[in-house]
């Protein structure tokens, strides 16, 4: 499943789902646009993970759930707790982070 945040409620999504991976991005971020289709592709092959796209500029409370000082930032949450994050534009690094959530 993939969701795009429409309000600043990422904490609710993390609490309601066992495994969550978030892409923090912004409309002006070129690398975010490059990674977005790859992120969405992963959502189709990892059905036990909720994938969320969060605009880091529009949703400051959601941004506080990870250390977002560069975009894109990808953050993984398991069991309602922060697990790990990466700041990357490399697909294999994103896949490794997703593997931490799935145990693969």
């Amino acid at each position: 499943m993939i969701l795009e945040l429409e309000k600043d409620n990422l904490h609710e999504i993390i609490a309601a789902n066992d495994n969550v991976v978030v892409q923090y991005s912004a409309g002006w971020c070129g690398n975010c646009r490059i990674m977005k289709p790859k992120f969405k592709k992963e959502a189709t092959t990892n059905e036990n993970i909720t994938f969320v796209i969060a605009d880091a500029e529009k949703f400051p409370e959601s941004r506080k759930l990870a250390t977002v000082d560069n975009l894109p930032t990808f953050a993984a949450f398991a069991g309602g707790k922060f697990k790990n994050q990466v700041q990357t534009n490399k697909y294999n690094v994103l896949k490794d982070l997703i593997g931490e959530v799935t145990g693969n």
Side-chain angles (χ1 to χ4, degrees):
M1 170 182 4
I2 188 147
L3 305 169
E4 290 203 41
L5 280 192
E6 295 185 10
K7 58 184 181 176
D8 207 355
N9 66 334
L10 180 59
H11 62 285
E12 294 171 10
I13 294 168
I14 292 168
N17 295 278
D18 289 335
N19 299 308
V20 178
V21 177
V22 181
Q23 176 179 346
Y24 290 97
S25 59
W28 53 262
C29 172
N31 284 330
C32 300
R33 288 192 299 272
I34 290 168
M35 291 300 290
K36 190 174 185 178
K38 297 170 184 174
F39 187 72
K40 287 182 172 184
K41 178 181 181 246
E42 286 300 312
T44 65
T45 59
N46 292 283
E47 295 176 6
N48 61 332
I49 299 174
T50 301
F51 287 79
V52 181
I53 297 172
D55 188 309
E57 293 182 323
K58 290 182 184 175
F59 304 118
E61 292 304 311
S62 295
R63 182 182 177 135
K64 290 178 186 175
L65 300 175
T67 304
V68 181
D69 53 17
N70 202 355
L71 295 174
T73 294
F74 299 91
F77 300 85
K81 306 270 189 232
F82 175 82
K83 187 161 183 151
N84 197 4
Q85 74 177 49
V86 293
Q87 297 173 344
T88 189
N89 63 354
K90 301 198 181 329
Y91 185 48
N92 61 329
V93 175
L94 172 59
K95 285 185 69 76
D96 289 346
L97 179 69
I98 293 167
E100 289 182 37
V101 174
T102 63
N104 294 333

